[in-house]
Amino acid sequence: MKTIDELLSEGVAGKRVFVRADLNVPLDGTTITDDGRIRAVLPTVKALAEAGARVVVASHLGRPKGAPDPAFSLAPAAARLGELLGADVAFATDTVGESAGSTVAGLTDGQVAVIENLRFNAGETSKDDAERAAFADQLAALADVYVGDGFGAVHRKHASVFDLPKRLPHYAGHLIATEVGVLKKLTEDVKRPYVVALGGAKVSDKLAVIDQLLGKADRLLIGGGMAYTFLKAKGYEVGKSLLQEDQVPVVTEYMERAEKQGVELVLPVDALVASDFPDLKTKAPANPTAVAADAIPADQEGLDIGPETRKLYASKLADAATVFWNGPMGVFEHPDYAEGTKAVAQALLDSPGFTVVGGGDSAAAVRTLGFDEQAFGHISTGGGASLEYLEGKTLPGLAALED
């Protein structure tokens, strides 16, 4: 895989460089609530602009239905990119139409433009190869060189991620090069003990990665909504807690495999429960109760790991040489259920090993809860992409860059 360093050494002055970024930021109306993904692409965009490239930044945002939708415009992200760069960033109001063509044509050396949300064109996400290829051809007309730097999208076989690199000289940006380097540390010559903390809502989302990690990790810590399916598999009452009943047989098999393979699979020993899900808008006091994991009342719902589990998980992370964490331990968006996620984040900071926060809600939690991002070994920008890499899958966007 060629990297941006090689591209810069070859010279980019005057060249139109298409940067496939991941500007898929959360919005409250037109206000960006977390600009982490924009900041993550800054090193690549800055390096290209300073080298005299005419930089064309493209991304998706949300899930529009293949047509323009003002609610998913990239205009706020383009404005924020300009603020972070300290320079004007031009904005094209379409993807491959008149505005995109004239905006890119008007760039001078060192200038940056953002084109509108790629998913406003149905060809971006089409499962039809010919439709995707046609859109990729139109995008290719806007550039001389392709730089892939949208790690959060590399697990998608989309036109700008998979098809476009085949049409232009292609290179990995700084972010993707860093992300791949980190993932190799989690899969090749891993320093041990290797501890993985997994949370989030659905156990079905994590089964494939657990399957792989049972042969690689020394210790698995399970939290979040997915933990209640594990507790149910142990025969415990889980009340109104999130439960995927159909996954109990698979989870039971995984627990048996972990025991046979000498992998320590650690489940919550207590939980914070309440009769109702908390109001995340008003964040009104929820008044949860801590109960043992095998004593959740039938009319209560588990919403966070309890105080004893926090201590337990911190102790299980204390000697780790390598840590990967993906998924919050509870409903961290509400202050009464944020302590479990805080405890795991703090345990990563206290760990002497190489610590990786696996994107998605985990990365959002780190920022929301006020932790210093620089104190972690690495915070990934792609939760889904990270998990699929650890599952051993071929990621289309990386495969396209390796050609």
Side-chain angles (χ1 to χ4, degrees):
M1 183 186 295
K2 289 185 178 180
T3 69
I4 187 174
D5 290 332
E6 294 170 82
L7 172 60
L8 292 169
S9 69
E10 295 165 7
V12 293
K15 291 183 179 179
R16 300 170 302 161
V17 180
F18 188 103
V19 178
R20 197 343 176 151
D22 180 9
L23 308 181
N24 185 28
V25 291
L27 293 171
D28 181 2
T30 59
T31 302
I32 296 170
T33 57
D34 181 354
D35 67 358
R37 285 178 171 164
I38 301 175
R39 288 185 284 111
V41 79
L42 276 179
T44 290
V45 174
K46 269 187 176 179
L48 290 168
E50 289 172 359
R54 303 178 182 193
V55 187
V56 182
V57 180
S59 175
H60 71 284
L61 192 153
R63 297 180 182 272
K65 305 298 183 183
D69 182 338
F72 297 105
S73 175
L74 275 175
R80 181 59 180 150
L81 178 62
E83 291 171 0
L84 293 169
L85 287 171
D88 290 337
V89 169
F91 182 66
T93 57
D94 57 26
T95 55
V96 291
E98 183 179 342
S99 179
S102 61
T103 299
V104 173
L107 289 175
T108 58
D109 294 1
Q111 286 192 318
V112 179
V114 174
I115 63 173
E116 187 54 284
N117 192 337
L118 291 164
R119 290 186 183 175
F120 285 2
N121 189 304
E124 170 67 0
T125 60
S126 177
K127 289 182 170 55
D128 182 86
D129 291 349
E131 187 176 8
R132 277 201 330 274
F135 184 47
D137 286 340
Q138 291 177 294
L139 291 172
L142 297 174
D144 306 303
V145 181
Y146 177 93
V147 172
D149 215 31
F151 181 73
V154 293
H155 58 314
R156 307 295 187 193
K157 193 177 181 181
H158 291 169
S160 66
V161 175
F162 178 73
D163 302 271
L164 182 55
K166 298 178 180 180
R167 288 156 169 77
L168 296 168
H170 46 269
Y171 302 81
H174 289 308
L175 176 62
I176 280 186
T178 298
E179 295 272 13
V180 171
V182 166
L183 288 168
K184 285 183 176 178
K185 288 185 179 181
L186 299 177
T187 54
E188 303 171 13
D189 299 321
V190 182
K191 292 184 179 179
R192 299 182 180 280
Y194 178 19
V195 184
V196 177
L198 295 175
K202 294 182 179 179
V203 71
S204 56
D205 292 341
K206 304 285 168 62
L207 287 177
V209 77
I210 293 172
D211 183 45
Q212 287 292 315
L213 290 169
L214 284 175
K216 295 186 175 82
D218 299 299
R219 202 175 291 151
L220 288 175
L221 314 181
I222 305 296
M226 63 184 281
Y228 300 101
T229 301
F230 280 86
L231 295 175
K232 183 71 172 180
K234 286 176 69 71
Y236 296 172
E237 168 66 58
V238 296
K240 299 191 299 181
S241 307
L242 189 60
L243 172 67
Q244 289 185 283
E245 190 91 44
D246 61 324
Q247 302 297 332
V248 169
V250 181
V251 164
T252 302
E253 178 198 337
Y254 282 9
M255 289 194 294
E256 292 170 353
R257 273 180 57 197
E259 186 173 1
K260 287 177 184 175
Q261 294 177 228
V263 177
E264 188 179 1
L265 198 155
V266 189
L267 299 178
V269 295
D270 63 348
L272 292 186
V273 302
S275 57
D276 297 299
F277 195 84
D279 189 324
L280 299 183
K281 287 189 176 180
T282 66
K283 294 184 171 52
N287 301 316
T289 303
V291 299
D294 61 354
I296 297 175
D299 65 344
Q300 301 282 297
E301 178 178 5
L303 295 161
D304 193 14
I305 57 174
E308 294 306 314
T309 305
R310 289 176 224 150
K311 294 177 192 173
L312 173 65
Y313 284 12
S315 72
K316 296 296 183 182
L317 289 161
D319 66 343
T322 305
V323 181
F324 175 73
W325 168 37
N326 180 278
M329 296 291 110
V331 187
F332 74 92
E333 298 91 343
H334 191 287
D336 287 352
Y337 302 104
E339 293 304 316
T341 301
K342 277 185 186 176
V344 168
Q346 186 61 52
L348 261 69
L349 291 183
D350 296 340
S351 169
F354 179 62
T355 56
V356 180
V357 180
D361 285 340
S362 310
V366 164
R367 289 188 276 268
T368 300
L369 299 175
F371 287 94
D372 178 7
E373 296 176 58
Q374 304 304 316
F376 296 89
H378 179 69
I379 298 181
S380 177
T381 56
S386 295
L387 288 177
E388 291 198 15
Y389 189 101
L390 294 179
E391 288 167 20
K393 291 183 178 179
T394 297
L395 306 188
L398 296 185
L401 292 174
E402 286 166 356
D403 287 346

